[in-house]
């Protein structure tokens, strides 16, 4: 349905302002002059000036984003001049925005009754009736509009659509017939009426319409395609194929027709032919790139699920990459093909290749915040911290008020052991967060990590305590804080409580289970520590060097020196181990 937003014109604003000021029509509440020369009495002149002032102030308040103040001023305007239809019109829109549709309708009805020459009042009233489901009243308004303004092309469509919506399809067809007599069989009429007929399963009438269109425009391929689409809807696929091929004979370069033919082939199980047509369409640089993107998004969703036949999903993924390749070649100056290529690669687990594609997308789409976020997230995943620092800095220069960028920047700095810079960045980003407690807590957690790495332990503890005040059940914060305390051998009871809670909140996480095991180890509870470290190994931690090393440490404290040595040796090639692991292996002792 049309809305006032689509109808509003600059000339309407001027018209309303003139009407609000009195204009040339006494219906606005002005008093006719009894003085020679037509000069109005002083009282009437004062009223006109007051109405003008109130209306202008109300409009300014509305444009400044203060609807309540604007509404109050328009109401004051009506107190001075109850017949001011411009103020009634503005109030109707404001009531509609505040979802007081009953009052909006009342204001619009009054405005329409006071001035039947302003078409925009009728449009608003019809839209309001549509909004509350009073379609018969809307139809009456549209018929009244056409009676007064029979040349208003768009009103016929509004009336026909509303009639069809209320299952008065025959009446809607009569409206289109009237349009055709008045304006001729135009493309817009054909497309609108066809959509209405096909959408209401009026296939016979839809076919007759399209055939008339083909007769009137025999060289227009799109109508042949429309008839083919109709045949497909009716299940007459052989007739549909004939029409699609006829249409392409008329316009072989029409890529949208090829897409429609591809849909036909796909729907009839001819997948190879379908993708052959799609590939030709995707190679066309003149075809709208967004239409191609929508098709790829559809394939992305479809390829998230297993097909009915073996290998169907894999085939769809492979064909999707072929279409992406064609898209990239057809639109080398756009970042969109690389962005969707990155989406596919990231979904399929190739993070390094996905990062490359998103970086290519940024060469053309530097103003796209989501792409920057993908680049930074993938940079973190693949461990490209040096590039991450530079990319985060460039993103911050473009989006300086986006706190998430500062978080990624700080994380990358921390990974490069530039802890003081990381702390500075985190403070800057934290202070940009507005009304987002979880994000603020995340900044405090990261500050806790950064201060700990910088060996600023009191500041680290204060930051973690702040984070937990804001988000007391964040398992990562609880785990990290507990682990840092255990490494230092401080506040082990507090560490045990936090670590146990993190495992309740996120069970089965090997790093969290390892933390709890290490807290217990530091507290001298070696048997309990063994239970939890073996849980961590069973949960997938047996390929993490630090967890395997901790297992060896626990076994050593339990007196099984040989088993401890075996675990230490197994941990060494896995990486991410302590600086003392070499001494443990060489000297056969546990070194803190």
């Amino acid at each position: 349905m049309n809305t006032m937003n689509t109808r509003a014109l600059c000339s309407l604003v001027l018209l309303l302002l003139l009407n609000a000021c009195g204009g040339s029509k006494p219906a606005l509440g002005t008093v006719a002059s009894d003085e020679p020369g037509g000069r109005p009495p002083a009282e009437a002149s004062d009223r006109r000036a007051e109405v003008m002032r109130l209306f202008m102030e109300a409009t300014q308040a509305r444009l400044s984003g203060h609807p309540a103040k604007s509404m109050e001023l328009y109401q004051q305007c009506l107190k001075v001049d109850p017949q001011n239809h411009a103020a009634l019109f503005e109030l109707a829109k404001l009531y509609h925005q505040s979802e007081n549709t009953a009052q909006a309708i009342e204001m619009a009805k009054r405005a329409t009754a006071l001035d039947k020459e302003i078409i925009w009042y009728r449009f608003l009233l019809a839209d309001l009736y549509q909004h509350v489901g009073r379609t018969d009243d809307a139809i009456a308004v549209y018929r009244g509009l056409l009676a007064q303004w029979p040349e208003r092309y768009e009103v016929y469509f509004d009336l026909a659509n509303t009639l069809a919506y209320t299952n008065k399809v025959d009446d809607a067809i009569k409206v289109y017939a009237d349009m055709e007599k008045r304006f001729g069989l135009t493309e817009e009429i054909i497309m609108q009426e066809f959509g209405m007929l096909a959408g209401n399963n009026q296939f016979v009438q839809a076919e007759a319409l399209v055939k008339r269109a083909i007769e009137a425009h025999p060289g227009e391929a799109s109508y042949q395609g429309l008839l083919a689409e109709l045949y497909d809807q009716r299940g007459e696929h052989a007739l549909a194929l004939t029409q699609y091929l006829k249409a392409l004979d008329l316009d072989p370069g029409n890529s949208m027709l090829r897409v429609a033919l591809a849909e036909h082939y796909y729907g009839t199980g001819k997948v190879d032919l379908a993708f052959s047509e799609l590939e030709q369409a995707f190679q066309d640089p003149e075809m709208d790139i967004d239409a191609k993107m929508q098709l790829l998004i559809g394939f992305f969703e479809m390829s998230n699920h297993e097909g009915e036949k073996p290998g169907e999903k894999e085939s769809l993924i492979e064909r999707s990459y072929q279409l992406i390749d064609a898209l990239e070649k057809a639109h080398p100056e756009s970042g969109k093909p690389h962005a969707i290529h990155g989406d596919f690669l990231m979904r399929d687990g190739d993070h390094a290749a996905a990062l490359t594609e998103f970086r290519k997308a940024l060469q053309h789409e530097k103003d796209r915040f989501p792409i920057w976020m993908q680049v930074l997230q993938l940079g973190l995943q693949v461990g490209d911290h040096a590039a991450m620092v530079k990319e985060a800095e460039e993103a911050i220069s473009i989006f300086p008020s986006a706190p998430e960028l500062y978080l990624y920047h700080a994380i990358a700095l921390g990974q490069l052991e530039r802890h003081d810079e990381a702390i500075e960045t985190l403070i800057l980003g934290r202070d940009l967060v507005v009304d987002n407690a979880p994000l603020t807590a995340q900044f405090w957690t990261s500050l806790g990590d950064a201060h700990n790495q910088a060996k600023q332990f009191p500041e680290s503890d204060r930051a973690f305590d702040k984070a937990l005040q804001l988000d007391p059940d964040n398992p990562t914060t609880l785990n990290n804080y507990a682990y840092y305390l255990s490494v230092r051998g401080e506040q082990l009871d507090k560490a045990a409580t936090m670590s146990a809670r993190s495992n309740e909140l996120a069970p089965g996480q090997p790093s969290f289970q390892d933390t709890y095991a290490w807290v217990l180890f530091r507290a001298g509870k070696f048997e309990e520590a063994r239970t939890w470290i073996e849980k961590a190994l069973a949960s997938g931690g047996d390929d993490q060097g630090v967890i395997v090393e901790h297992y060896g440490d626990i076994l050593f404290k339990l007196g099984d020196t040989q088993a401890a040595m075996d675990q230490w040796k197994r941990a060494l090639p896995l990486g991410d181990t302590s600086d003392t692991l070499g001494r443990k292996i060489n000297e056969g002792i546990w070194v803190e």
Side-chain angles (χ1 to χ4, degrees):
M1 299 302 167
N2 288 333
T3 66
M4 276 308 301
N5 286 336
T6 60
R7 302 184 193 279
L9 301 173
C10 293
S11 58
L12 175 60
V13 176
L14 178 60
L15 177 63
L16 293 180
L17 186 56
L18 289 172
N19 284 333
C21 298
S24 61
K25 300 178 70 177
L28 296 178
T30 59
V31 178
S33 172
D34 292 328
E35 296 184 11
R39 179 178 297 173
E43 181 182 348
S45 180
D46 290 345
R47 287 178 60 195
R48 285 165 58 89
E50 179 68 2
V51 169
M52 179 191 297
R53 182 186 66 79
L54 289 169
F55 192 91
M56 292 180 69
E57 287 183 10
T59 302
Q60 182 60 40
R62 175 175 61 79
L63 295 173
S64 301
H66 302 289
K69 181 181 178 181
S70 176
M71 191 178 294
E72 180 183 346
L73 287 165
Y74 283 128
Q75 288 167 341
Q76 289 180 32
C77 191
L78 286 175
K79 287 180 182 178
V80 179
D81 180 7
Q83 305 300 306
N84 193 307
H85 48 78
L88 288 165
F89 174 70
E90 295 297 333
L91 277 171
K93 292 191 293 181
L94 287 166
Y95 278 124
H96 181 42
Q97 290 170 12
S98 63
E99 300 185 359
N100 188 344
T101 313
Q103 274 291 89
I105 290 173
E106 181 61 28
M107 295 294 109
K109 284 172 65 178
R110 286 173 58 188
T112 302
L114 286 167
D115 194 326
K116 295 181 171 57
E117 299 300 318
I118 299 182
I119 194 171
W120 312 107
Y121 295 176
R122 312 275 194 95
F123 282 142
L124 176 61
L125 183 58
D127 289 340
L128 290 168
Y129 281 143
Q130 293 274 24
H131 185 71
V132 296
R134 292 172 59 176
T135 50
D136 287 344
D137 289 326
I139 288 168
V141 174
Y142 289 134
R143 290 196 186 281
L145 280 165
L146 289 177
Q148 192 166 349
W149 292 282
E151 76 285 356
R152 294 302 297 228
Y153 197 76
E154 74 276 26
V155 180
Y156 291 90
F157 292 129
D158 287 341
L159 176 57
N161 288 337
T162 308
L163 288 165
Y165 179 77
T166 55
N167 296 317
K168 299 174 182 177
V169 178
D170 290 340
D171 289 342
I173 292 172
K174 291 176 184 176
V175 173
Y176 280 111
D178 188 20
M179 280 193 83
E180 189 176 335
K181 288 177 186 176
R182 189 175 295 274
F183 304 109
L185 190 61
T186 67
E187 180 182 2
E188 189 174 6
I189 291 173
I190 294 166
M191 301 307 292
Q192 291 272 0
E193 186 174 4
F194 177 82
M196 184 272 295
L197 291 169
N200 285 276
N201 298 321
Q202 301 290 316
F203 296 124
V204 174
Q205 294 93 326
E207 182 179 4
L209 170 66
V210 178
K211 284 183 174 178
R212 282 195 297 112
I214 291 172
E215 186 178 350
H217 307 279
E220 181 53 62
S222 62
Y223 299 138
Q224 301 281 358
L226 211 57
L227 186 58
E229 179 186 328
L230 181 64
Y231 286 145
D232 260 338
Q233 281 186 271
R234 284 162 45 172
E236 300 175 76
H237 301 305
L239 283 174
L241 179 57
T242 299
Q243 286 302 131
Y244 279 126
L245 296 176
K246 190 181 294 186
L248 280 171
D249 281 342
L250 286 172
D251 189 2
N254 191 321
S255 294
M256 290 307 296
L257 273 174
R258 292 200 179 277
V259 171
L261 177 57
E263 290 178 358
H264 163 84
Y265 280 139
Y266 199 84
T268 54
K270 300 173 182 176
V271 178
D272 289 340
L273 289 172
F275 276 93
S276 175
E277 295 295 334
L278 280 179
E279 195 160 7
Q280 288 188 66
F282 270 61
Q283 290 169 357
D284 179 9
E286 299 301 317
M287 181 180 167
D288 180 40
I289 188 172
D290 290 329
K292 299 175 185 177
M293 294 287 287
Q294 286 300 315
L295 286 166
L296 283 169
I297 289 169
F299 291 138
F300 184 91
E301 295 298 328
M302 289 166 61
S303 60
N304 277 334
H305 309 288
E306 290 296 334
E308 294 180 3
K309 301 174 184 177
E312 188 173 9
K313 175 180 177 178
E314 291 73 17
S315 175
L316 181 56
I317 292 173
E318 181 182 352
R319 292 179 190 274
S320 296
Y321 281 117
Q322 292 170 357
L323 292 177
I324 290 169
D325 182 60
L327 186 69
E328 289 174 345
K329 290 175 181 176
H331 303 277
E333 299 304 315
S334 173
K336 292 179 179 179
H338 297 291
I340 199 163
H341 197 173
D343 286 333
F344 271 85
L345 289 165
M346 189 167 65
R347 190 274 310 274
D348 296 337
D350 194 344
H351 295 146
L355 178 57
T356 298
E357 291 302 323
F358 282 119
R359 283 173 172 163
K360 289 178 182 178
L362 279 181
Q363 294 175 13
H364 308 282
E365 310 275 353
K366 287 188 182 292
D367 61 340
R368 292 286 308 280
F369 182 77
I371 298 178
W372 283 107
M373 290 297 289
Q374 293 284 36
V375 165
L376 294 173
Q377 180 185 346
L378 287 166
L380 182 62
Q381 285 182 280
V382 304
D384 194 356
H385 302 122
M388 218 179 134
V389 167
K390 294 179 181 178
E391 285 162 345
E393 287 170 354
E394 186 176 358
I396 288 168
S397 72
I398 300 170
F399 305 100
S401 61
E404 298 88 348
L405 299 175
Y406 294 81
L407 197 57
Y408 278 106
H409 186 221
I411 292 171
L413 287 168
Q415 291 297 315
L416 297 173
E417 298 188 5
R418 294 161 61 180
H419 304 302
D420 290 340
E421 294 174 72
I423 291 166
E424 182 180 350
T425 297
L426 287 167
I427 292 170
L428 288 172
R430 180 200 63 196
D431 293 344
L432 290 171
V433 181
V434 178
D435 296 330
N436 189 336
L439 183 57
T440 303
Q442 191 172 355
F443 270 97
W444 281 114
T445 296
S446 294
L447 277 166
D449 290 332
H451 281 300
N452 181 80
Q453 294 302 317
K455 301 191 184 306
Q456 299 166 357
F457 301 129
E459 291 87 348
S460 175
D461 291 354
R462 280 194 291 271
F464 278 121
D465 287 333
K466 282 276 192 181
L468 290 174
Q469 287 173 14
L470 292 166
D471 191 2
D473 277 339
N474 186 299
T476 300
T477 305
L478 290 164
N479 174 78
N480 291 8
Y481 194 6
Y483 186 70
Y484 295 145
L485 290 175
S486 70
V487 170
R488 285 152 42 196
E490 298 175 2
Q491 304 182 64
L492 293 177
D493 289 342
K494 179 178 180 178
T497 301
M498 291 191 295
S499 183
R501 180 60 177 154
S502 73
N503 280 284
E504 290 174 5
L505 293 166
Q509 296 291 321
S511 61
F512 291 4
Q513 293 167 331
D514 171 64
T515 293
Y516 195 36
W518 198 245
V519 171
L520 293 167
F521 174 87
R522 296 291 282 172
K525 300 177 181 179
F526 303 124
E527 285 292 351
E528 293 177 62
R530 178 174 185 165
T531 299
W532 278 92
I533 201 69
E534 288 177 349
K535 286 183 180 181
L537 293 166
S539 297
D542 58 346
D543 61 353
Q544 297 181 37
V546 65
I547 295 178
V548 176
E549 182 183 358
H550 283 169
Y551 188 30
D553 295 342
I554 292 167
L555 291 172
F556 184 88
K557 287 294 184 180
L558 288 169
D560 196 342
T561 305
Q562 185 56 52
M565 183 68 72
D566 292 341
Q567 296 303 319
W568 289 335
K569 288 179 179 179
R570 195 164 71 84
L572 188 61
L574 296 175
D576 190 27
T577 57
S578 73
D579 295 337
T580 60
L581 179 59
R583 285 188 60 197
K584 294 176 188 177
I585 295 171
N586 292 332
E587 300 176 24
I589 59 170
W590 179 74
V591 183
E592 185 171 357

